[in-house]
Structures are given as C-alpha cells and as structure tokens.
Amino acid sequence: MAILPILRFPDPRLRLPCKPVEAFDARLADCAADLAATMRAAPGIGITAAHVGILERLTVIELAGPASQRVYVNPAVTWFSPELQRHAEGSVSMPGVTDEVERPARIRLTYQDLAGKTHSEEADGLLAVCLQHEIDQLDGIFWIDRLSRLKRERIVRKFRKAGE
C-alpha cells in the first residue's frame, strides 16, 4: 500500500466528474488499498480516487478505524429522505477547515464492490453524510459548493491564509 499525494484545493481536477469503473481487477483493489492508506495518513474518514487525481468512481470510507472500512465502486444515490441533518464537513484536499453542511438525513444507494457485484443499501447518520460528500466529489462537486456564497468565501480565505 502506497500513500499517494493528495490534490489540494483549488486544483481544477477536483471539479471534474469521474468516469465509471469498468475493470474489476487487481489494479482496482490496489488503488482501493492505496486510497485507504492515504486517507489514514491524511487523516480522514473518507476519500475518493479523485482526491489523488484518478478520475474513477471509487471511494473508501472508514468511520471507526480499519475494521470499519467500506469500499464503494460506482456509487449512486437512488433516494434521499425529506428530513435533513447538519454535520461538520471538511476535505483531505482542504485540511484544517470545516463548516456545517445540510444534507438529507437518510439515503439509499447502489454501488459495486471490488469484484463488481452490485449492492443496494440504506444509510443514515454519519455514514449518510460521508457517502453524500464523497459521491458529490465523484460528480465534481466540492464540499464547499454546498455552502452559501458568504460561507464559501470565508472558508477559502481561511484556507489560503493558513497556507501562507
């Protein structure tokens, strides 16, 4: 497992939609393992292939350490609850800044595993937040796009100032 370099905001590749994974092979499994190692080193609880410049629909999420690792290939949300929740979000591509984002409290999604088998599941709480956040990234939507213009500008200023 390699720790890969993470793209930093405002790298334009973070705004590009990712292509579906078509080959379920050793390269994909190795990429998922590298993403997990990179996420832990960042540190973070979720990462996409897009965060390291690989424009494929692959994400790894660990909410409670390595034993909780979940790999989602070609994930897509198929249903959103009308109830909303607010949760602090940030990004491995924009370390050191967070803000509250409002999202649906529950979702249903479809995805494939590393072998290509299709699954469907429902998620709520932090898992629902993380999945929506990472699927947005796979669609080329950076998390700050979900904030008001004023909050987004404040976050960008704070991040730039921290990098000086």
Side-chain angles (χ1 to χ4, degrees):
M1 292 183 290
I3 296 175
L4 306 172
I6 295 173
L7 301 178
R8 300 275 293 201
F9 177 85
D11 191 301
R13 292 172 287 180
L14 293 168
R15 303 278 191 186
L16 297 174
C18 295
K19 295 179 180 160
V21 170
E22 295 179 358
F24 295 83
D25 54 14
R27 184 202 61 83
L28 180 65
D30 289 346
C31 184
D34 291 347
L35 285 175
T38 303
M39 176 187 63
R40 288 182 202 119
I45 58 172
I47 194 168
T48 67
H51 285 111
V52 297
I54 301 169
L55 297 178
E56 295 182 350
R57 296 187 70 79
L58 171 64
T59 188
V60 176
I61 294 175
E62 286 183 3
L63 300 183
S68 69
Q69 180 179 302
R70 303 284 307 268
V71 177
Y72 297 87
V73 183
N74 299 325
V77 176
T78 59
W79 173 82
F80 296 97
S81 71
E83 302 84 29
L84 302 175
Q85 66 179 336
R86 295 183 70 74
H87 198 282
E89 295 187 27
S91 175
V92 295
S93 291
M94 193 182 222
V97 293
T98 61
D99 208 326
E100 284 199 345
V101 178
E102 187 172 70
R103 296 184 183 272
R106 294 185 329 275
I107 62 168
R108 186 174 306 122
L109 74 150
T110 59
Y111 66 96
Q112 291 169 282
D113 60 26
L114 290 172
K117 182 178 177 186
T118 300
H119 301 269
S120 179
E121 72 180 58
E122 289 194 17
D124 60 7
L126 183 57
L127 180 58
V129 170
C130 289
L131 284 164
Q132 291 173 82
H133 176 103
E134 302 305 348
I135 291 169
D136 270 357
Q137 185 65 63
L138 295 173
D139 292 336
I141 301 168
F142 200 65
W143 75 277
I144 62 173
D145 296 338
R146 298 288 182 190
L147 301 173
S148 69
R149 185 179 59 81
L150 184 63
K151 283 186 173 187
R152 186 170 48 251
E153 289 172 356
R154 183 183 47 123
I155 289 283
V156 170
R157 275 194 310 273
K158 182 178 179 182
F159 181 66
R160 287 187 177 139
K161 186 174 183 175
E164 293 175 353

